[in-house]
């Protein structure tokens, strides 16, 4: 009888812990080049084992990835994500529900949501914005930033010369 009481009490503490965790996405956009792989970060804070929970990732109301009953459930997955998504099962015991997306395309850019439906916290969803650029876009952006830095240095060097 005493052992059964302890088992029930242990189960209750797990449920209470689940209710206290919040789902945290990324405040900063995640940037990636077309063709590369990317990890969309999402975790529970404080950390909580979600291996026995349902975890859902969506993109514009389309299903990106579903994990339920300790398995990936990809039957209803949007066709454009087929064979390109995975979670990190070994990390789920520490609350990591990040999504790995492989071979990124321009159509993958946008807002993603990670969701733990049975989480009884105020925040059961996290958001991640993915920015996808071609290698040329990133090189051009780097050149523009370098040009701005050079211009700022030239202006800073010229100002002391003008005073003399």
């Amino acid at each position: 009888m005493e052992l059964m009481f302890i088992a029930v009490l242990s189960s209750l503490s797990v449920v209470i812990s689940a209710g206290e965790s919040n789902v945290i996405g990324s405040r900063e956009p995640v940037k990636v080049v077309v063709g590369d792989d990317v990890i969309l970060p999402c975790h529970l804070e404080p950390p909580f084992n979600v291996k026995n929970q349902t975890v859902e990732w969506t993109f514009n109301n389309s299903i990106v990835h579903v994990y339920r009953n300790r398995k990936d459930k990809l039957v209803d997955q949007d066709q454009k994500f087929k064979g390109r998504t995975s979670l990190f099962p070994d990390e789920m015991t520490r609350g990591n529900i990040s999504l790995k997306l492989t071979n990124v395309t321009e159509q993958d850019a946008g807002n993603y949501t990670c969701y733990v439906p049975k989480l009884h916290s105020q925040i059961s969803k996290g958001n991640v914005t993915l920015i996808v650029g071609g290698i040329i876009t990133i090189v051009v952006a780097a050149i523009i930033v370098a040009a701005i830095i050079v211009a700022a240095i030239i202006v800073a060097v010229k100002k002391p010369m003008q005073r003399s």
Side-chain angles (χ1 to χ4, degrees), residues 27-42:
R27 290 186 178 146
E28 297 296 321
V30 175
K31 298 172 186 162
V32 66
V33 175
V34 171
D36 280 356
D37 299 348
V38 68
I39 295 173
L40 304 180
C42 195

Side-chain angles (χ1 to χ4, degrees), residues 80-100:
K80 76 178 192 174
F81 294 106
K82 292 275 185 201
R84 300 193 305 127
T85 64
S86 60
L87 299 179
F88 299 88
D90 294 341
E91 292 290 318
M92 293 176 84
T93 58
R94 292 184 282 281
N96 183 354
I97 56 174
S98 298
L99 177 80
K100 181 176 182 180

Side-chain angles (χ1 to χ4, degrees), residues 4 7 10 16 36 40-41 49 53 59 61 63 65 68-69 71 89 102 107 111 116-117 120 122 126 135 138 143:
M4 186 185 303
S10 297
I16 291 168
D36 280 356
L40 304 180
N49 182 353
Q53 301 285 319
F59 172 78
N61 297 321
I63 295 173
H65 198 101
R68 185 178 298 122
N69 298 326
K71 294 180 183 175
T102 61
Q107 291 76 29
N111 297 315
V116 181
H120 303 293
Q122 291 183 340
I135 192 73
I138 291 172
I143 291 170

Side-chain angles (χ1 to χ4, degrees), residues 63-137:
I63 295 173
V64 175
H65 198 101
V66 175
Y67 174 93
R68 185 178 298 122
N69 298 326
R70 297 180 158 259
K71 294 180 183 175
D72 294 322
K73 303 289 184 183
L74 306 177
V75 176
D76 297 322
Q77 184 181 43
D78 187 302
Q79 201 61 32
K80 76 178 192 174
F81 294 106
K82 292 275 185 201
R84 300 193 305 127
T85 64
S86 60
L87 299 179
F88 299 88
D90 294 341
E91 292 290 318
M92 293 176 84
T93 58
R94 292 184 282 281
N96 183 354
I97 56 174
S98 298
L99 177 80
K100 181 176 182 180
L101 180 61
T102 61
N103 195 21
V104 173
T105 68
E106 288 181 3
Q107 291 76 29
D108 294 330
N111 297 315
Y112 290 77
T113 301
C114 50
Y115 176 50
V116 181
K118 292 190 178 176
L119 201 61
H120 303 293
S121 66
Q122 291 183 340
I123 304 171
S124 60
K125 293 181 180 183
N127 296 305
V128 181
T129 300
L130 180 63
I131 296 174
V132 180
I135 192 73
I136 293 173
T137 305

